[in-house]
Amino acid sequence: EPRLLIVDEPMVGLDPRGARLIKAVFRRMSEHGVAILMSTHTLEVAEEMSHRISIINRGRIIAQGTVDEVRRLAGGGDEHFTSVFLRLTGGSGLQEIDEVV
C-alpha cells in the first residue's frame, strides 16, 4: 500500500478498455489516500484525472493549480485545455515550424 505512486505516460499504448481500467485503479488508489504524480502529454487525461496540474515548459513550472485555476491564469474560460496549454507555453507551434522550414 504505497503512499505515493509516480507514473510516466501510463495510458500510452493502451486500448480504451485498458486505459479505463488504469484510470479506475488510480481513482480508487486516490480515494484511499495515495498521492499519484502522473507525467503526461495527453492533456485530456491530465484534465480528467488530476486534482492539481503543473505545466512545465523548458524545465520550469510555469503554471500550477486546479484545472480551473490554470484556465483562469491563462485568461481562458471553458475552452479546451489544449488551448490553455498552448497559450501558456507560447502558441500553436506554427512559429517553430516556420523556423525549421
Side-chain angles (χ1 to χ4, degrees), residues 5 13 19 21 24 30 34 36 43 45 51 53-54 66 76 80 82 91-92 99:
L5 180 65
L21 175 64
S30 178
V34 177
I36 302 171
L43 299 177
V45 170
H51 295 268
I53 290 177
S54 293
T66 65
H80 197 278
T82 298
S92 66
E99 290 172 3

Side-chain angles (χ1 to χ4, degrees), residues 7-97:
V7 292
D8 181 27
E9 299 289 356
M11 310 305 166
V12 170
L14 297 180
D15 65 5
R17 180 173 293 162
R20 188 166 79 179
L21 175 64
I22 293 298
K23 290 175 186 178
V25 168
F26 287 171
R27 282 190 185 102
R28 184 166 296 149
M29 291 176 78
S30 178
E31 290 167 0
H32 287 92
V34 177
I36 302 171
L37 176 70
M38 176 174 37
S39 171
T40 184
H41 288 93
T42 310
L43 299 177
E44 293 80 11
V45 170
E47 184 176 12
E48 175 187 351
M49 298 295 299
S50 302
H51 295 268
R52 296 186 53 81
I53 290 177
S54 293
I55 295 178
I56 300 171
N57 188 28
R58 299 181 180 182
R60 296 183 58 217
I61 295 174
I62 60 167
Q64 62 183 6
T66 65
V67 171
D68 289 337
E69 290 169 344
V70 172
R71 272 197 176 100
R72 280 193 300 274
L73 178 68
D78 286 338
E79 66 188 325
H80 197 278
F81 203 66
T82 298
S83 299
V84 171
F85 176 85
L86 292 173
R87 186 175 308 111
L88 290 170
T89 58
S92 66
L94 295 178
Q95 178 182 351
E96 291 89 356
I97 293 171

